[in-house]
Amino acid sequence: MSPALLILGIVALIHCVFAAHAKKCPDPGLLKNGNIHFTDFSYPHFINFSCDPGYILQGPNTSQCLKNGQWSAKLPKCQPVICPPPPVCEFSVLLYHRLKPGNVSVFQDEIKFECLLPYALFGNEIAVCQADGKWSAVPECRTVECPRPEGIANGYIYLLLRRAYHYKETVTYGCNPTYVLDGPVESRCEKTGQWSTKPTCRAPCAIPVKRATVLYNSQKVKVQEHLKNGVQHAEIIWFFCKNKKQHCSYKVPARCNDGKFTVPACFKDQRIQLFWKTDVADLPPCETIN
Ligand SMILES: *[C@@H]1O[C@H](CO)[C@@H](O)[C@H](O)[C@H]1NC(C)=O
Ligand SMILES: *[C@@H]1O[C@H](CO)[C@@H](O)[C@H](O)[C@H]1NC(C)=O
Ligand SMILES: *[C@@H]1O[C@H](CO)[C@@H](O)[C@H](O)[C@H]1NC(C)=O
């Protein structure tokens, strides 16, 4: 290669590098909550700006790479949409609180609504500041009345008032003596205008045997003496049954279930006490024999 050609080549290379450098604008970076549309960052191309839904462009929407390698306009900003104060003044019973600090609501901010008692909230309790600058559906506060609460069989309601009951008010139930309350003690006036589930009073059980020594609350007792009045719902009595072959006794449980009591089939009632006969409960337990 001749020296002249080499010099020419170097000059051309320098020129190219210099020209390219002069015509290229710096990378504009990222536009937060928006996009930069471009094909080229070099003279004389334009780049365009747009914002994501819920954001508004503040500043120019386009910028050109100038001959001097500078952009014609600075990056704009994408500002979130602002929602007006939530519409609550018309109902003084509807309150809201912001879930984020600050007194201005912007896109995607949420507020939580609440109704003052005795009003009940209907709809979504959370509203969101939408991309269009409006709040999503705001809930409503309505009064709710429940009918007079119904009584329960073998039980009563404490302090039943002679007025209407409203949302979230409760009544308390009780059972007559020897009956056992099953279920929630309180019933609540619900949004639906109905009372929540009432309890049931479960009946005691008479023990349908004449004589027997049984295990009751871990104690050996005689039915004819200690359990004449029966037992309460859900109580368990262990009966002693006889294994004739091995001459021993084994225990079988029976549970009072709302007035129903089934004596274990293996139990033999001794209607009259025969003084020479050993009580089954006094036989050695079969467990110890085996
Ligand atoms: C920028 O916007 C202009 C005018 O709307 C359009 O002609 C051009 O193609 C856009 N350029 C890019 C890179 O999106
Ligand atoms: C930029 O905004 C002008 C109006 O201010 C509009 O005519 C033009 O189409 C917009 N260009 C782009 C790329 O959004
Ligand atoms: C919102 O807060 C800013 C400062 O945090 C305060 O300058 C402005 O007055 C407040 N606006 C309202 C409507 O309370």
Side-chain angles (χ1 to χ4, degrees):
M1 196 186 277
S2 78
L5 236 124
L6 187 68
I7 289 164
L8 200 68
I10 291 168
V11 166
L13 188 69
I14 289 169
H15 183 78
C16 266
V17 167
F18 185 75
H21 185 74
K23 286 178 174 180
K24 187 106 180 165
C25 281
D27 186 325
L30 293 172
L31 180 60
K32 204 177 169 204
N33 299 312
N35 283 298
I36 299 176
H37 306 272
F38 65 93
T39 48
D40 214 310
F41 291 159
S42 63
Y43 171 77
H45 290 100
F46 283 85
I47 57 174
N48 298 334
F49 310 113
S50 67
C51 288
D52 295 338
Y55 294 86
I56 298 169
L57 194 76
Q58 276 198 346
N61 64 3
T62 187
S63 182
Q64 189 185 15
C65 181
L66 302 176
K67 221 172 186 170
N68 64 3
Q70 299 291 309
W71 291 108
S72 67
K74 286 205 290 179
L75 272 190
K77 279 204 158 75
C78 287
Q79 300 280 18
V81 162
I82 290 176
C83 277
V88 285
C89 296
E90 41 188 315
F91 326 93
S92 59
V93 295
L94 183 60
L95 307 174
Y96 73 86
H97 51 92
R98 295 175 193 281
L99 300 180
K100 268 199 243 164
N103 59 6
V104 176
S105 299
V106 298
F107 177 56
Q108 284 179 335
D109 273 358
E110 292 182 334
I111 49 174
K112 193 174 176 185
F113 289 93
E114 211 180 290
C115 293
L116 285 180
L117 283 175
Y119 292 88
L121 184 141
F122 290 87
N124 202 337
E125 62 171 5
I126 303 259
V128 185
C129 176
Q130 303 177 126
D132 60 1
K134 290 180 183 146
W135 288 102
S136 61
V138 167
E140 247 186 278
C141 295
R142 282 188 241 141
T143 52
V144 169
E145 252 186 46
C146 280
R148 259 177 86 83
E150 282 171 27
I152 50 173
N154 304 302
Y156 50 88
I157 301 174
Y158 283 103
L159 300 171
L160 182 61
L161 304 175
R162 285 181 173 281
R163 60 161 174 80
Y165 279 86
H166 294 107
Y167 176 55
K168 276 196 175 172
E169 285 191 296
T170 57
V171 289
T172 305
Y173 286 92
C175 288
N176 295 343
T178 75
Y179 280 78
V180 173
L181 190 116
D182 186 10
V185 176
E186 279 186 346
S187 180
R188 193 171 90 148
C189 175
E190 301 287 7
K191 245 182 221 184
T192 54
Q194 303 292 313
W195 289 96
S196 66
T197 314
K198 309 176 288 192
T200 307
C201 290
R202 303 284 180 199
C205 298
I207 300 174
V209 299
K210 280 270 185 298
R211 306 177 159 273
T213 303
V214 296
L215 209 57
Y216 174 65
N217 291 334
S218 313
Q219 305 261 317
K220 266 191 187 176
V221 296
K222 291 198 190 315
V223 167
Q224 61 274 24
E225 286 167 22
H226 292 92
L227 300 174
K228 274 185 291 201
N229 299 325
V231 292
Q232 292 195 339
H233 169 69
E235 285 193 302
I236 291 173
I237 288 180
W238 294 81
F239 282 84
F240 289 92
C241 291
K242 186 174 175 181
N243 178 328
K244 279 188 181 142
K245 254 192 202 153
Q246 306 199 20
H247 203 66
C248 59
S249 73
Y250 56 96
K251 301 193 297 277
V252 180
R255 183 179 180 272
C256 170
N257 186 18
D258 197 14
K260 288 185 202 71
F261 190 90
T262 309
V263 176
C266 63
F267 175 78
K268 294 272 179 298
D269 198 351
Q270 294 179 354
R271 292 180 177 275
I272 41 165
Q273 188 162 22
L274 306 170
F275 67 88
W276 65 89
K277 240 184 152 169
T278 319
D279 190 330
V280 196
D282 294 332
L283 289 178
C286 295
E287 305 98 84
T288 61
I289 287 177
N290 293 334

